[in-house]
Coordinates of all heavy atoms in Angstrom, one line a residue:
M186 N 130.4 66.9 132.0 CA 130.4 68.4 132.2 C 129.7 69.1 131.1 O 129.0 70.0 131.2 CB 131.8 68.9 132.5 CG 131.9 70.4 132.6 SD 132.8 70.8 134.1 CE 132.7 72.5 134.0
M187 N 130.0 68.8 129.9 CA 129.4 69.4 128.8 C 128.0 69.0 128.4 O 127.3 69.6 127.6 CB 130.3 69.2 127.5 CG 131.7 69.7 127.6 SD 131.7 71.5 127.6 CE 131.4 71.9 126.0
D188 N 127.4 68.0 129.2 CA 126.1 67.6 128.9 C 125.0 68.7 129.3 O 123.9 68.6 128.7 CB 125.8 66.2 129.7 CG 126.6 65.2 129.1 OD1 127.1 65.3 128.0 OD2 126.9 64.2 129.9
W189 N 125.4 69.5 130.2 CA 124.3 70.5 130.6 C 124.1 71.7 129.8 O 123.2 72.4 129.8 CB 124.5 70.9 132.0 CG 125.8 71.6 132.2 CD1 127.1 71.0 132.5 CD2 126.1 73.0 132.1 NE1 128.1 71.9 132.7 CE2 127.5 73.2 132.3 CE3 125.3 74.1 131.9 CZ2 128.1 74.5 132.3 CZ3 126.0 75.4 131.8 CH2 127.3 75.6 132.0
I190 N 125.1 71.9 128.9 CA 125.2 73.1 128.0 C 123.8 73.2 127.0 O 123.1 74.2 127.1 CB 126.5 73.4 127.3 CG1 127.5 73.7 128.3 CG2 126.3 74.3 126.2 CD1 129.0 73.8 127.7
P191 N 123.6 72.1 126.3 CA 122.4 72.2 125.4 C 121.2 72.2 126.2 O 120.2 73.0 125.7 CB 122.5 70.8 124.8 CG 123.9 70.3 124.8 CD 124.4 70.9 126.1
V192 N 121.0 71.7 127.3 CA 119.8 71.7 128.2 C 119.6 73.3 128.5 O 118.5 73.8 128.5 CB 120.0 71.0 129.3 CG1 118.6 71.2 130.4 CG2 120.0 69.5 129.0
V193 N 120.6 74.0 128.9 CA 120.5 75.4 129.4 C 120.2 76.2 128.3 O 119.4 77.2 128.3 CB 121.8 75.8 130.1 CG1 121.9 77.3 130.4 CG2 122.0 75.1 131.5
L194 N 121.0 76.0 127.1 CA 120.8 76.9 126.0 C 119.5 76.7 125.4 O 118.8 77.8 124.9 CB 121.9 76.7 124.9 CG 123.4 77.1 125.3 CD1 124.4 76.7 124.2 CD2 123.5 78.5 125.6
V195 N 119.0 75.5 125.2 CA 117.6 75.3 124.7 C 116.5 75.9 125.6 O 115.6 76.5 125.2 CB 117.3 73.8 124.5 CG1 115.9 73.5 124.2 CG2 118.2 73.3 123.3
T196 N 116.7 75.7 126.9 CA 115.7 76.3 127.9 C 115.7 77.8 127.7 O 114.7 78.6 127.8 CB 116.2 76.0 129.3 OG1 116.2 74.5 129.6 CG2 115.2 76.4 130.4
F197 N 116.9 78.5 127.6 CA 117.1 79.9 127.5 C 116.5 80.3 126.2 O 115.6 81.3 126.2 CB 118.6 80.4 127.4 CG 118.7 81.8 127.4 CD1 118.5 82.7 128.3 CD2 119.2 82.1 126.0 CE1 118.6 84.0 128.1 CE2 119.4 83.6 125.9 CZ 119.1 84.4 126.9
K198 N 116.6 79.6 125.1 CA 116.0 80.0 123.8 C 114.4 79.9 124.0 O 113.8 80.8 123.5 CB 116.5 79.0 122.7 CG 115.9 79.2 121.4 CD 116.5 78.3 120.4 CE 116.1 78.6 119.0 NZ 116.7 77.8 118.0
I199 N 114.0 78.8 124.6 CA 112.4 78.8 124.7 C 111.9 79.9 125.6 O 111.0 80.5 125.3 CB 112.1 77.4 125.3 CG1 112.4 76.2 124.2 CG2 110.7 77.3 125.7 CD1 112.3 74.9 124.7
L200 N 112.6 80.2 126.6 CA 112.1 81.3 127.5 C 112.2 82.6 126.8 O 111.3 83.4 126.9 CB 113.2 81.3 128.7 CG 112.8 82.5 129.7 CD1 111.5 82.1 130.5 CD2 113.9 82.6 130.7
V201 N 113.3 82.9 125.9 CA 113.3 84.1 125.2 C 112.1 84.2 124.2 O 111.5 85.2 123.9 CB 114.8 84.4 124.6 CG1 114.7 85.5 123.6 CG2 115.7 84.6 125.7
L202 N 112.0 83.1 123.5 CA 110.9 83.1 122.4 C 109.5 83.2 123.0 O 108.7 84.0 122.5 CB 111.0 81.8 121.6 CG 112.1 81.7 120.6 CD1 112.2 80.3 120.0 CD2 112.1 82.8 119.6
A203 N 109.4 82.7 124.2 CA 108.0 82.8 124.8 C 107.8 84.3 125.3 O 106.6 84.7 125.2 CB 108.0 81.8 126.1
V204 N 108.8 84.9 125.8 CA 108.7 86.2 126.3 C 108.5 87.1 125.1 O 107.6 88.1 125.1 CB 109.9 86.7 127.1 CG1 109.9 88.2 127.3 CG2 110.0 86.0 128.5
G205 N 109.2 86.9 124.1 CA 108.8 87.7 122.8 C 107.5 87.5 122.3 O 106.9 88.5 121.8
M206 N 107.0 86.3 122.2 CA 105.7 86.1 121.7 C 104.7 86.7 122.7 O 103.6 87.2 122.2 CB 105.4 84.6 121.6 CG 106.1 83.8 120.5 SD 105.8 82.2 120.2 CE 105.0 81.6 121.6
F207 N 104.9 86.7 123.9 CA 103.9 87.4 124.9 C 103.8 88.9 124.5 O 102.7 89.4 124.5 CB 104.4 87.1 126.3 CG 103.5 87.9 127.3 CD1 102.3 87.7 127.6 CD2 104.2 89.2 127.8 CE1 101.6 88.3 128.5 CE2 103.5 89.9 128.8 CZ 102.2 89.6 129.0
F208 N 105.0 89.5 124.4 CA 105.1 90.9 124.2 C 104.5 91.2 122.8 O 103.9 92.3 122.6 CB 106.4 91.6 124.4 CG 106.7 91.8 125.9 CD1 107.7 91.0 126.5 CD2 106.0 92.6 126.6 CE1 108.0 91.3 127.9 CE2 106.2 92.8 127.9 CZ 107.2 92.1 128.6
A209 N 104.8 90.4 121.9 CA 104.2 90.6 120.4 C 102.6 90.5 120.4 O 102.0 91.3 119.9 CB 104.7 89.6 119.5
I210 N 102.0 89.6 121.1 CA 100.6 89.4 121.2 C 100.1 90.6 121.9 O 99.1 91.1 121.6 CB 100.3 88.1 121.8 CG1 100.7 86.9 120.9 CG2 98.7 88.1 122.2 CD1 100.6 85.6 121.6
K211 N 100.7 90.9 123.1 CA 100.2 92.1 123.8 C 100.3 93.4 123.1 O 99.3 94.2 123.1 CB 101.1 92.2 125.1 CG 100.7 93.4 126.0 CD 101.7 93.5 127.3 CE 101.2 94.5 128.3 NZ 101.0 95.8 127.6
W212 N 101.4 93.6 122.3 CA 101.5 94.8 121.4 C 100.3 94.8 120.4 O 99.7 95.9 120.2 CB 102.8 94.9 120.8 CG 102.9 96.1 120.0 CD1 103.4 97.4 120.4 CD2 102.8 96.3 118.7 NE1 103.4 98.3 119.4 CE2 103.1 97.6 118.2 CE3 102.4 95.4 117.5 CZ2 103.0 98.0 117.0 CZ3 102.4 95.9 116.2 CH2 102.7 97.2 116.0
H213 N 100.0 93.6 119.8 CA 99.1 93.6 118.7 C 97.6 93.9 119.4 O 96.8 94.5 118.7 CB 99.0 92.4 117.9 CG 100.1 92.3 116.9 ND1 101.4 91.9 117.1 CD2 100.0 92.7 115.6 CE1 102.1 92.1 116.0 NE2 101.3 92.6 115.1
Y214 N 97.4 93.3 120.4 CA 96.1 93.4 121.3 C 95.9 94.9 121.6 O 94.8 95.6 121.4 CB 96.1 92.6 122.5 CG 94.9 92.7 123.3 CD1 93.7 92.2 122.8 CD2 94.9 93.6 124.5 CE1 92.5 92.3 123.7 CE2 93.7 93.6 125.2 CZ 92.5 93.0 124.8 OH 91.4 93.2 125.5
D215 N 97.0 95.6 122.1 CA 96.8 97.1 122.5 C 96.7 97.9 121.2 O 96.0 98.9 121.2 CB 98.1 97.6 123.1 CG 98.3 96.9 124.6 OD1 97.2 96.4 125.0 OD2 99.4 96.9 125.1
Q216 N 97.2 97.4 120.0 CA 97.0 98.2 118.8 C 95.6 98.1 118.4 O 95.0 99.0 117.7 CB 98.1 97.9 117.7 CG 99.5 98.1 118.0 CD 99.7 99.7 118.1 OE1 99.3 100.5 117.3 NE2 100.4 100.1 119.2
G217 N 95.1 97.0 118.5 CA 93.7 96.7 118.1 C 92.7 97.5 118.8 O 91.7 97.9 118.4
K218 N 93.0 97.7 120.2 CA 92.1 98.7 121.0 C 92.2 100.0 120.6 O 91.4 100.8 120.8 CB 92.5 98.4 122.5 CG 92.1 97.1 123.0 CD 92.6 96.9 124.4 CE 92.0 97.8 125.4 NZ 92.4 97.3 126.8
K219 N 93.3 100.4 120.0 CA 93.6 101.9 119.7 C 93.1 102.1 118.2 O 93.9 102.1 117.2 CB 95.1 102.1 119.7 CG 95.4 103.6 119.9 CD 96.8 103.8 120.3 CE 97.8 103.4 119.2 NZ 99.2 103.7 119.4
E220 N 91.8 102.3 118.1 CA 91.1 102.4 116.7 C 91.2 103.8 116.2 O 90.7 104.2 115.1 CB 89.8 102.0 116.7 CG 89.8 100.4 117.1 CD 89.9 99.7 115.8 OE1 89.7 100.2 114.6 OE2 90.4 98.5 115.9
Q221 N 91.7 104.9 116.9 CA 91.7 106.3 116.5 C 92.6 106.3 115.4 O 93.8 105.9 115.5 CB 91.8 107.1 117.7 CG 91.1 107.0 118.9 CD 91.5 107.6 120.1 OE1 92.6 108.1 120.2 NE2 90.7 107.7 121.2
D222 N 92.2 107.2 114.5 CA 93.1 107.6 113.3 C 93.6 106.4 112.6 O 94.6 106.5 112.1 CB 94.2 108.5 113.8 CG 93.9 109.7 114.5 OD1 92.8 110.3 114.1 OD2 94.7 110.2 115.2
N223 N 92.7 105.5 112.5 CA 93.0 104.2 111.8 C 93.2 104.3 110.3 O 94.1 103.9 109.7 CB 92.0 103.1 112.1 CG 92.5 101.7 111.7 OD1 93.9 101.5 111.5 ND2 91.7 100.7 111.7
G224 N 92.3 105.2 109.8 CA 92.3 105.5 108.3 C 93.5 106.2 108.0 O 94.2 106.0 106.9
L225 N 93.9 107.3 108.7 CA 95.1 108.1 108.4 C 96.4 107.1 108.6 O 97.3 107.4 107.8 CB 95.3 109.3 109.4 CG 94.2 110.3 109.1 CD1 94.3 111.5 110.2 CD2 94.2 110.8 107.7
E226 N 96.4 106.4 109.6 CA 97.6 105.5 109.8 C 97.7 104.5 108.7 O 98.8 104.2 108.2 CB 97.4 104.9 111.2 CG 98.6 103.9 111.5 CD 98.5 103.3 112.9 OE1 97.7 103.9 113.7 OE2 99.1 102.3 113.1
Q227 N 96.6 104.0 108.2 CA 96.7 102.9 107.2 C 97.1 103.6 105.9 O 97.9 103.0 105.2 CB 95.3 102.4 106.9 CG 95.3 101.2 106.0 CD 93.9 100.5 106.0 OE1 93.0 101.1 106.4 NE2 93.9 99.4 105.2
R228 N 96.7 104.8 105.6 CA 97.1 105.5 104.4 C 98.6 105.8 104.4 O 99.3 105.7 103.5 CB 96.4 106.8 104.3 CG 95.8 107.0 102.9 CD 94.9 108.2 102.7 NE 93.9 108.2 103.7 CZ 93.3 109.4 104.1 NH1 93.8 110.5 103.6 NH2 92.4 109.3 104.9
A229 N 99.1 106.1 105.6 CA 100.6 106.5 105.8 C 101.4 105.2 105.6 O 102.3 105.2 104.9 CB 100.8 107.0 107.1
V230 N 100.9 104.1 106.1 CA 101.6 102.9 106.0 C 101.5 102.5 104.5 O 102.6 101.9 104.0 CB 101.0 101.8 106.8 CG1 101.5 100.4 106.5 CG2 101.2 102.0 108.3
L231 N 100.6 102.6 103.8 CA 100.6 102.1 102.3 C 101.3 103.1 101.5 O 102.0 102.6 100.7 CB 99.0 102.4 101.8 CG 98.0 101.2 102.3 CD1 96.7 101.5 101.9 CD2 98.6 99.8 101.8
R232 N 101.4 104.3 101.9 CA 102.3 105.4 101.1 C 103.7 105.0 101.4 O 104.5 104.9 100.4 CB 101.9 106.7 101.5 CG 102.7 107.8 100.8 CD 102.5 109.1 101.2 NE 101.0 109.5 100.7 CZ 100.1 110.0 101.6 NH1 100.4 110.3 102.8 NH2 98.9 110.2 101.1
A233 N 104.1 104.6 102.7 CA 105.5 104.4 103.0 C 105.9 103.0 102.3 O 106.9 102.8 101.7 CB 105.6 104.2 104.5
S234 N 105.0 102.0 102.2 CA 105.3 100.8 101.6 C 105.5 100.8 100.1 O 106.3 100.3 99.4 CB 104.3 99.6 101.9 OG 103.0 100.1 101.5
G235 N 104.6 101.8 99.5 CA 104.7 102.2 98.1 C 106.1 102.7 97.8 O 106.8 102.4 96.8
K236 N 106.5 103.7 98.7 CA 107.9 104.3 98.4 C 108.9 103.3 98.6 O 109.9 103.4 97.6 CB 108.0 105.4 99.5 CG 107.3 106.6 99.2 CD 107.5 107.6 100.2 CE 106.6 108.9 100.2 NZ 106.8 109.9 101.2
V237 N 108.9 102.3 99.5 CA 109.8 101.3 99.6 C 109.9 100.4 98.4 O 111.0 100.1 97.9 CB 109.6 100.6 100.8 CG1 110.6 99.3 100.9 CG2 109.9 101.5 102.2
A238 N 108.8 100.0 97.9 CA 108.7 99.3 96.6 C 109.2 99.9 95.4 O 110.0 99.3 94.6 CB 107.2 98.8 96.4
V239 N 109.0 101.3 95.3 CA 109.4 101.9 94.2 C 110.9 102.2 94.3 O 111.8 102.0 93.3 CB 108.8 103.4 94.1 CG1 109.5 104.3 93.1 CG2 107.4 103.2 93.6
I240 N 111.4 102.4 95.4 CA 113.0 102.6 95.6 C 113.6 101.3 95.4 O 114.7 101.1 94.8 CB 113.2 103.1 97.2 CG1 112.9 104.4 97.2 CG2 114.7 102.9 97.4 CD1 112.9 105.1 98.5
F241 N 113.0 100.1 95.9 CA 113.6 98.7 95.6 C 113.7 98.5 94.1 O 114.7 98.0 93.6 CB 112.8 97.7 96.2 CG 113.3 96.3 96.1 CD1 114.5 95.9 96.6 CD2 112.5 95.5 95.2 CE1 114.9 94.5 96.4 CE2 112.9 94.3 95.0 CZ 114.1 93.7 95.5
M242 N 112.6 98.8 93.4 CA 112.7 98.5 92.0 C 113.5 99.4 91.1 O 114.1 98.9 90.3 CB 111.2 98.7 91.4 CG 110.1 97.6 92.0 SD 110.7 96.0 91.6 CE 110.4 95.9 89.8
L243 N 113.6 100.6 91.6 CA 114.7 101.5 90.8 C 116.1 101.0 91.2 O 117.0 101.0 90.4 CB 114.5 103.0 91.4 CG 113.2 103.6 90.7 CD1 113.0 105.1 91.4 CD2 113.3 103.7 89.3
S244 N 116.4 100.7 92.4 CA 117.7 100.3 92.8 C 118.0 98.8 91.9 O 119.2 98.6 91.6 CB 117.9 100.1 94.2 OG 117.1 99.1 94.7
L245 N 117.0 98.0 91.9 CA 116.9 96.8 91.1 C 117.4 97.0 89.7 O 118.4 96.5 89.0 CB 115.9 95.9 91.3 CG 116.0 94.6 90.8 CD1 117.1 93.7 91.6 CD2 114.6 93.7 91.0
L246 N 116.6 98.0 89.0 CA 116.9 98.4 87.7 C 118.2 99.0 87.5 O 119.0 98.7 86.6 CB 115.8 99.3 87.2 CG 115.9 100.0 85.8 CD1 115.9 98.7 84.8 CD2 115.0 101.1 85.6
G247 N 118.6 99.9 88.4 CA 120.0 100.4 88.4 C 121.2 99.5 88.4 O 122.1 99.5 87.8
L248 N 120.9 98.5 89.3 CA 122.0 97.4 89.5 C 122.0 96.6 88.2 O 123.2 96.2 87.8 CB 121.6 96.5 90.7 CG 122.6 95.3 90.9 CD1 124.0 96.0 91.3 CD2 122.1 94.5 92.1
G249 N 120.9 96.3 87.6 CA 120.9 95.5 86.4 C 121.6 96.2 85.2 O 122.4 95.7 84.5
L250 N 121.4 97.6 85.2 CA 121.9 98.4 84.1 C 123.5 98.5 84.3 O 124.3 98.5 83.5 CB 121.3 99.8 84.1 CG 119.9 99.8 83.4 CD1 119.3 101.2 83.5 CD2 120.0 99.4 82.0
F251 N 123.8 98.7 85.6 CA 125.3 98.7 86.1 C 126.0 97.5 85.6 O 127.1 97.6 85.0 CB 125.4 99.1 87.5 CG 126.8 99.1 88.0 CD1 127.6 100.2 87.6 CD2 127.4 98.1 88.6 CE1 129.0 100.1 88.1 CE2 128.7 98.0 89.2 CZ 129.4 99.0 88.8
T252 N 125.3 96.4 85.9 CA 126.0 95.1 85.5 C 126.1 95.0 83.9 O 127.1 94.5 83.6 CB 125.1 93.9 86.2 OG1 125.0 94.1 87.6 CG2 125.7 92.6 85.9
F253 N 125.0 95.3 83.3 CA 125.1 95.1 81.9 C 126.2 96.0 81.3 O 127.0 95.6 80.4 CB 123.7 95.7 81.3 CG 123.6 95.4 79.9 CD1 123.6 94.2 79.2 CD2 123.8 96.6 79.0 CE1 123.5 94.0 77.8 CE2 123.7 96.5 77.6 CZ 123.5 95.2 77.0
V254 N 126.3 97.3 81.8 CA 127.5 98.3 81.3 C 128.7 97.6 81.7 O 129.7 97.8 80.8 CB 127.1 99.7 81.9 CG1 128.4 100.6 81.5 CG2 125.9 100.3 81.2
L255 N 128.9 97.3 82.8 CA 130.2 96.7 83.4 C 130.6 95.4 82.5 O 131.8 95.3 82.1 CB 130.2 96.4 84.7 CG 131.5 96.1 85.5 CD1 132.3 97.2 85.5 CD2 131.1 95.5 86.9
A256 N 129.6 94.5 82.1 CA 129.9 93.4 81.5 C 130.2 93.8 80.0 O 131.1 93.2 79.2 CB 128.6 92.5 81.5
S257 N 129.6 94.8 79.4 CA 129.8 95.2 78.0 C 131.2 95.9 77.9 O 131.9 95.6 76.9 CB 128.7 96.3 77.6 OG 127.4 95.6 77.6
T258 N 131.5 96.6 78.9 CA 132.8 97.4 78.9 C 134.0 96.5 78.9 O 134.9 96.6 78.2 CB 132.9 98.2 80.1 OG1 131.8 99.2 80.2 CG2 134.2 99.0 80.2
F259 N 133.9 95.3 79.7 CA 135.1 94.4 79.8 C 134.8 93.3 78.7 O 135.8 92.3 78.8 CB 135.0 93.9 81.2 CG 135.6 94.9 82.2 CD1 134.8 95.3 83.1 CD2 137.0 95.3 82.1 CE1 135.3 96.2 84.0 CE2 137.4 96.3 83.0 CZ 136.5 96.7 83.9
G260 N 133.9 93.3 77.8 CA 133.9 92.4 76.8 C 133.4 91.0 77.2 O 133.8 90.0 76.5
L261 N 132.6 90.9 78.2 CA 132.0 89.6 78.6 C 131.0 89.2 77.7 O 130.2 90.0 77.0 CB 131.5 89.7 80.1 CG 132.5 90.0 81.0 CD1 131.9 90.1 82.4 CD2 133.6 89.0 81.2
D262 N 130.8 87.8 77.5 CA 129.8 87.2 76.6 C 128.5 87.5 77.2 O 128.2 86.9 78.3 CB 130.1 85.9 76.3 CG 129.2 85.2 75.4 OD1 128.6 86.0 74.6 OD2 129.0 84.0 75.4
L263 N 127.5 88.2 76.5 CA 126.2 88.5 77.2 C 125.2 87.7 76.4 O 123.8 88.1 76.6 CB 125.8 90.0 76.9 CG 126.9 91.0 77.9 CD1 126.5 92.4 77.6 CD2 126.6 90.6 79.2
S264 N 125.5 86.8 75.5 CA 124.5 86.0 74.7 C 124.0 85.0 75.7 O 124.5 84.4 76.5 CB 125.2 85.4 73.6 OG 126.2 84.4 74.0
F265 N 122.6 84.7 75.4 CA 121.9 83.8 76.1 C 121.9 82.4 75.5 O 121.9 82.5 74.2 CB 120.5 84.3 76.4 CG 120.4 85.5 77.4 CD1 120.1 86.7 76.8 CD2 120.6 85.3 78.7 CE1 120.0 87.8 77.5 CE2 120.6 86.5 79.5 CZ 120.4 87.7 78.9
P266 N 122.0 81.3 76.2 CA 122.0 80.0 75.4 C 120.8 79.7 74.8 O 119.7 80.1 74.9 CB 122.3 79.0 76.6 CG 122.0 79.7 77.9 CD 122.1 81.2 77.5

């Protein structure tokens, strides 16, 4: 009775991935046809990705400083081997 479960689940997984790939390819094809305002859109994407990178680096720096202060406060050994 349990022998059919992997067959059904693998078939469902393949079907879902195939439908997802179809719509992903269709979306990219449609975006390629839409060449209007490509320069403005590319500039906006670059600006947004730059903002995300800066926010990530600042949060990483803040987390590092917070960890250092927390370790110093509780007297943890911060020496490197």
Side-chain angles (χ1 to χ4, degrees):
M186 175 131 178
M187 297 294 286
D188 294 336
W189 60 272
I190 289 179
V192 174
V193 170
L194 293 179
V195 169
T196 305
F197 178 73
K198 182 178 182 177
I199 290 172
L200 180 68
V201 167
L202 289 175
V204 169
M206 287 185 346
F207 170 76
F208 282 114
I210 292 169
K211 182 181 181 308
W212 182 82
H213 281 89
Y214 179 75
D215 291 343
Q216 292 299 315
K218 288 173 69 177
K219 198 169 64 169
E220 293 283 331
Q221 301 167 356
D222 299 331
N223 194 15
L225 294 175
E226 184 178 337
Q227 186 176 9
R228 227 177 305 154
V230 168
L231 287 173
R232 184 175 294 129
S234 62
K236 286 179 184 178
V237 168
V239 167
I240 290 171
F241 176 74
M242 292 304 289
L243 288 175
S244 64
L245 190 63
L246 178 66
L248 180 64
L250 288 174
F251 176 73
T252 304
F253 182 77
V254 168
L255 191 64
S257 298
T258 303
F259 290 110
L261 299 177
D262 184 23
L263 297 175
S264 63
F265 295 103

